[in-house]
Amino acid sequence: MLGIPEGSAITLEYCCKLMMEYTALDSAQLYTLLKRFSPYGRKKRLQFCRALCHTQYARQIESGGRNYFVLRPSIKIQGRLKQQVSCFWVLLDYIDKVDRHFATGTPGSLISMEIEGRDYSILYAQPGKEKMCCYLMEQSGRTRYFILVENLAQIQLIRGGHVHAFVLLDDKNTIHYYSGTGG
């Protein structure tokens, strides 16, 4: 899927394609996308989201105290899908710079993107599986990684020359970036 061309506004068609690609998005992610890249005020953004649901490409559900837009109401926000939704926050930070992005089915990443001809992947590091992250990066070739960690202690356990940045997502979905040394 293409990133957002500079100066363009988010369209309903773009959001429908986004739902088809990622299956589920936190409602705050879609609202943030619209707030940053659409000319709409708050009321129009809410109408836009209702229109998305009317297109049959999205339904709103509640899961774990949060609201999500999902492709089908039977979808459960858990496991790999929940991790992918978390990783989408990182993509959202870069989406206006990204040439292409897509959800991946590989164990090595959850989201891949290309920025200025360079490949990046967003990897979710589950606590206790840090060695798996190291192994996957060793096999990756030239891909650079944003590694989403659940706590800062994980950073010291993940080694590799392919780390672009470590990312920690707080309770308010604010992204914090860290270098390989944790600074």
Side-chain angles (χ1 to χ4, degrees):
M1 159 155 212
L2 296 177
I4 300 171
E6 190 175 320
S8 77
I10 297 296
T11 64
L12 190 58
E13 180 184 7
Y14 184 85
C15 289
C16 290
K17 288 179 181 178
L18 204 59
M19 289 306 305
M20 288 176 55
E21 180 67 32
Y22 291 97
T23 309
L25 294 175
D26 187 313
S27 61
Q29 291 170 327
L30 188 58
Y31 292 132
T32 299
L33 185 69
L34 290 170
K35 187 175 182 178
R36 285 179 56 197
F37 300 105
S38 76
Y40 309 129
R42 184 179 179 276
K43 187 175 179 180
K44 283 280 192 188
R45 287 193 300 265
L46 291 172
Q47 290 173 346
F48 186 98
C49 291
R50 284 188 203 106
L52 180 63
C53 290
H54 289 295
T55 65
Q56 306 297 315
Y57 284 96
R59 296 287 178 263
Q60 270 195 295
I61 65 166
E62 188 275 330
S63 179
R66 297 202 56 85
N67 292 316
Y68 295 89
F69 285 97
V70 294
L71 208 51
R72 293 177 305 282
S74 60
I75 290 174
K76 304 286 184 225
I77 309 297
Q78 59 191 15
R80 187 171 172 84
L81 185 58
K82 186 173 184 171
Q83 294 169 1
Q84 180 181 288
V85 169
S86 295
C87 288
F88 192 86
W89 285 107
V90 179
L91 173 61
L92 194 55
D93 247 12
Y94 290 88
I95 200 160
D96 59 332
K97 297 170 187 72
V98 169
D99 300 320
R100 284 185 282 285
H101 60 92
F102 55 92
T104 62
T106 64
S109 74
L110 295 170
I111 299 174
S112 288
M113 57 187 172
E114 180 184 323
I115 302 173
E116 296 180 359
R118 180 135 199 196
D119 292 331
Y120 293 87
S121 287
I122 306 168
L123 177 64
Y124 186 92
Q126 292 181 35
K129 298 199 177 186
E130 294 84 1
K131 285 185 181 181
M132 179 62 86
C133 292
C134 298
Y135 174 76
L136 294 168
M137 285 188 295
E138 286 175 14
Q139 309 302 314
S140 71
R142 297 183 56 183
T143 300
R144 302 283 294 163
Y145 285 89
F146 288 91
I147 302 176
L148 183 64
V149 295
E150 288 190 22
N151 61 67
L152 294 178
Q154 290 179 272
I155 293 174
Q156 301 303 321
L157 302 173
I158 301 171
R159 298 279 179 240
H162 296 285
V163 177
H164 181 74
F166 290 98
V167 181
L168 182 67
L169 190 64
D170 68 19
D171 295 340
K172 296 179 182 175
N173 294 316
T174 303
I175 297 175
H176 304 276
Y177 292 96
Y178 297 90
S179 68
T181 59

